[in-house]
Amino acid sequence: MAQGTDTENRERAGTDVLAGRRVLAVLPGSRKERTRYIFEILEAGKARWDWNVDVVCQFADRSPFEDLMAPAGRTFSPPHLLKVADWEHDDQVRAEVERRVHEAEAAVNVPLGRAVLAGGHTLGRAFSRPVRFAPRYAIVRKTFADTVEPFRILRRLFRFCDQTLEATDPDFVFAFDWATPQHFSMWLAATRRGIPCVALRNSKINHDNAFWTLDRLLLNTASIEGGAARRRSGEPVSDAAEAYIREFREQPRMIKYIAVKWKNKTQRNFIKWHVIQFRRIAREALNTLRGQDRALREPALGLLWRYYRSLFLTWRHQRYLHTVDDETLANEKYIYFPMHKEAELAQTLQATLWHDQRNTIRVLASILPAGYRLLVREHRFNYGHRPTRFYRQIRKLPNVTMIDPFDSQYRYLRHADLVVTENGSSGWEGLLLGRRVVTVAKTFYDGAGLGVKVLSPDQLNAAILDALAKPAVADPDAHDYGLGCMVDSERENTFSATPEGAPDALELLRKTMTSVLRAHRAKTPRAA
């Protein structure tokens, strides 16, 4: 790419607001499934708009991204998370880093503790430790031994991100999420400097599609706002949206990218699992020789132990999980609560007050109306990975029954008197099936204007009683209209998650970024 000023680059690429931009991409591991697609989107943007792309990735992953960065881009690899850096012994430098962290917290109104919780499998592992077995990475063992260590690690990451931003001076930062400690630190440091951060996410409404978001919580705000605007204006619902609703009611189906994850997991039989893990161990041993940080790597023996333990627990915990036949469900009054996988982004980043699902179950059990039962459906990815005491404790709660995760969730949704979820897709599915739904956090389907949202735990008991006292759907036409507006808005603000969808992806990126990029460069001076 020819070198020159921002103005010269834009003149070569046209007057497009995205032309000649400097992009800092925070990329996942090169072997992850989503990395290939992210890579292709960045390549398409570079070819169209003459971007200069710098990359943040692990040291061992530099080679796969060389073409993306050519000719002038650079690679930045995060520090070893558990290694104390020389600058940490300098009181003056350490104090300056802490000042910038505090300044960033105040600027975004988000404390650093949220980054610890969001890192639910690493820095925040202690939050889910009592309810789920998980890999004991070196970083997990260290944070269990020293509870101050998560904040030291975040301080190291923040300084790395701040220095990277200083060196690259990007027009915007691109990533897949802001939940991991590294991603959260980058979002925090960039937002402090006024640098826009955009993420690429999978749609939970429009299968095989994706969207861009500037939202810290990673919601498709354009779709949510668009759905609400359609309802206010009375815009007609498309035939495609009506077909979507009708087809789901006739034959409900799981969100495709989640279904693919589960299919991949079930296809790993005993022998194939060992082959995959042997290759993984060999690859990581080689990467260690190349300088890979071992803080996020699980010891081989620990990996084997966790697998064999899960096989045993899958058998042992069958006694705690139940199925209920259709006839019983149709004649019983119950509230349905589907669980998330423990330490999932939907809780640890998006619904932080409800990250402890044990507490949510206890709260719901404590406010059950007379004559109602609470059915709690276990998540498939938790099964075989919980300590037995979890199920024993839940079993003792009054009028609470744990449901087998492999039983069809749609049977329980169809007959539920009320569906309660933090922000899960079961709330959307419940609305599609005409059920009462109560949510306790922002959701990706808020644009439909349906269901009951409770943002204060103190109001949950009254909301449940009020919802149960009213018909599930008072006006079927108005209900379906809200669903249709949400579907149409989602279709308008998503694009095909395939290489063929790249042109649409870039058009939506331009639509998403135009105003924030203009505002970004208009701000002076930038944070130092």
Side-chain angles (χ1 to χ4, degrees):
M1 181 178 72
Q3 300 300 302
T5 66
D6 286 348
T7 301
E8 291 169 343
N9 287 336
R10 291 191 184 94
E11 287 176 351
R12 281 193 299 269
T15 58
D16 199 309
V17 70
L18 282 169
R21 294 292 184 175
R22 295 189 298 273
V23 181
L24 178 62
V26 187
L27 297 180
S30 60
R31 289 181 174 270
K32 289 185 177 293
E33 290 182 18
R34 61 177 177 262
T35 306
R36 180 70 251 175
Y37 178 62
I38 294 172
F39 184 90
E40 289 167 348
I41 291 291
L42 285 167
E43 278 191 320
K46 180 179 176 182
R48 176 172 177 176
W49 286 310
D50 198 23
W51 283 347
N52 181 85
V53 181
D54 294 306
V55 168
V56 174
C57 66
Q58 292 297 323
F59 184 81
D61 272 331
R62 292 177 301 167
S63 296
F65 304 130
E66 286 179 353
D67 290 342
L68 178 65
M69 295 179 293
R74 291 169 290 174
T75 304
F76 298 83
S77 297
H80 283 222
L81 300 181
L82 299 179
K83 183 178 180 180
V84 179
D86 291 340
W87 65 265
E88 293 181 79
H89 299 293
D90 187 318
D91 292 342
Q92 186 175 357
V93 176
R94 192 173 64 250
E96 174 60 18
V97 174
E98 291 178 351
R99 182 191 71 79
R100 295 189 180 201
V101 171
H102 291 315
E103 188 174 279
E105 289 178 317
V108 299
N109 206 27
V110 178
L112 204 61
R114 286 289 189 240
V116 177
L117 175 61
H121 296 284
T122 54
L123 300 188
R125 177 69 184 88
F127 287 106
S128 61
R129 183 184 188 186
V131 297
R132 192 180 193 277
F133 297 120
R136 287 180 61 87
Y137 306 130
I139 193 172
V140 171
R141 297 193 299 273
K142 177 66 174 178
T143 56
F144 284 174
D146 183 355
T147 57
V148 180
E149 187 64 16
F151 289 87
R152 297 193 192 103
I153 293 171
L154 285 170
R155 185 174 62 190
R156 289 170 198 142
L157 285 172
F158 182 90
R159 184 173 188 267
F160 159 75
C161 293
D162 200 44
Q163 289 186 320
T164 300
L165 292 167
E166 184 71 30
T168 59
D169 190 26
D171 291 297
F172 65 92
V173 178
F174 168 87
F176 187 76
D177 68 64
W178 310 118
T180 71
Q182 177 182 313
H183 287 71
F184 199 113
S185 299
M186 182 62 75
W187 175 84
L188 196 64
T191 306
R192 171 186 170 271
R193 289 173 171 265
I195 301 172
C197 296
V198 65
L200 176 68
R201 303 294 299 170
N202 292 315
S203 172
K204 294 184 178 181
I205 295 178
N206 196 9
H207 296 264
D208 293 323
N209 276 249
F211 63 89
W212 301 104
T213 179
L214 297 165
D215 182 44
R216 181 181 75 86
L217 299 181
L218 303 173
L219 296 173
N220 190 348
T221 52
S223 176
I224 294 170
E225 293 167 1
R230 286 171 177 269
R231 288 189 292 106
R232 289 192 300 268
S233 66
E235 188 169 344
V237 169
S238 70
D239 292 341
E242 291 179 349
Y244 175 102
I245 298 167
R246 182 175 59 254
E247 290 169 6
F248 185 89
R249 288 171 178 169
E250 292 172 354
Q251 185 60 53
R253 59 171 178 159
M254 188 183 300
I255 297 168
K256 188 169 182 180
Y257 78 88
I258 296 177
V260 169
K261 283 184 180 181
W262 179 245
K263 182 180 179 181
N264 291 340
K265 181 178 176 64
T266 56
Q267 288 178 341
R268 293 183 182 181
N269 58 34
F270 186 84
I271 295 176
K272 188 173 182 179
W273 184 91
H274 284 81
V275 171
I276 291 173
Q277 299 309 323
F278 176 78
R279 290 174 178 170
R280 172 185 167 187
I281 291 168
R283 184 172 64 251
E284 290 185 353
L286 180 61
N287 286 339
T288 298
L289 297 177
R290 297 172 177 169
Q292 176 178 261
D293 184 5
R294 296 289 301 174
L296 299 178
R297 296 295 177 267
E298 186 175 13
L301 290 178
L303 182 69
L304 291 170
W305 163 245
R306 189 162 55 87
Y307 177 69
Y308 290 124
R309 179 179 58 195
S310 71
L311 296 179
F312 170 72
L313 292 178
T314 297
W315 166 79
R316 185 180 186 188
H317 292 164
Q318 291 176 0
R319 72 191 74 175
Y320 298 103
L321 301 170
H322 306 275
T323 60
V324 185
D325 59 74
D326 285 316
E327 183 178 355
T328 301
L329 290 174
N331 293 300
E332 186 172 35
K333 295 192 293 186
Y334 65 92
I335 294 173
Y336 178 60
F337 175 65
M339 300 190 77
H340 289 284
K341 181 182 72 175
E342 293 291 350
E344 189 175 77
L345 178 151
Q347 302 159 270
T348 59
L349 182 74
Q350 296 174 332
T352 52
L353 293 181
W354 300 93
H355 70 270
D356 188 343
Q357 294 183 101
R358 292 175 307 170
N359 179 64
T360 307
I361 295 171
R362 291 188 177 100
V363 168
L364 293 175
S366 72
I367 57 177
L368 276 175
Y372 284 86
R373 183 180 177 190
L374 178 62
L375 301 187
V376 179
R377 185 173 185 269
E378 177 62 292
H379 193 283
R380 293 183 180 186
F381 288 118
N382 293 329
Y383 188 42
H385 298 283
R386 291 196 186 277
T388 303
R389 65 178 177 273
F390 173 85
Y391 294 115
R392 287 175 176 167
Q393 292 169 358
I394 298 299
R395 185 172 62 175
K396 293 178 181 178
L397 294 175
N399 228 7
V400 176
T401 301
M402 289 291 296
I403 299 300
D404 190 323
F406 297 98
D407 198 8
S408 172
Q409 62 184 335
Y410 302 112
R411 294 199 306 111
Y412 296 94
L413 284 169
R414 283 188 186 279
H415 296 291
D417 292 278
L418 175 67
V419 179
V420 179
T421 178
E422 305 92 344
N423 52 11
S425 56
S426 292
W428 171 245
E429 294 164 342
L431 292 172
L432 285 168
L433 294 173
R435 312 319 300 161
R436 303 176 185 88
V437 173
V438 169
T439 60
V440 295
K442 292 181 178 180
T443 73
F444 62 86
Y445 42 91
D446 280 349
L450 300 172
V452 178
K453 184 173 298 298
V454 182
L455 297 182
S456 171
D458 292 336
Q459 298 173 357
L460 186 57
N461 54 346
I464 287 177
L465 289 170
D466 185 58
L468 290 171
K470 297 176 180 178
V473 177
D475 185 339
D477 290 338
H479 183 89
D480 287 0
Y481 179 70
L483 293 172
C485 287
M486 189 69 240
V487 173
D488 279 335
S489 183
E490 185 80 3
R491 288 177 180 273
E492 184 179 294
N493 292 284
T494 56
F495 48 86
S496 175
T498 64
E500 293 73 24
D504 290 336
L506 297 182
E507 283 303 314
L508 272 179
L509 179 62
R510 177 167 56 182
K511 178 181 175 181
T512 302
M513 299 297 294
T514 295
S515 61
V516 295
L517 283 175
R518 286 172 177 163
H520 164 53
R521 281 310 183 191
K523 291 181 180 178
T524 55
R526 298 175 65 189

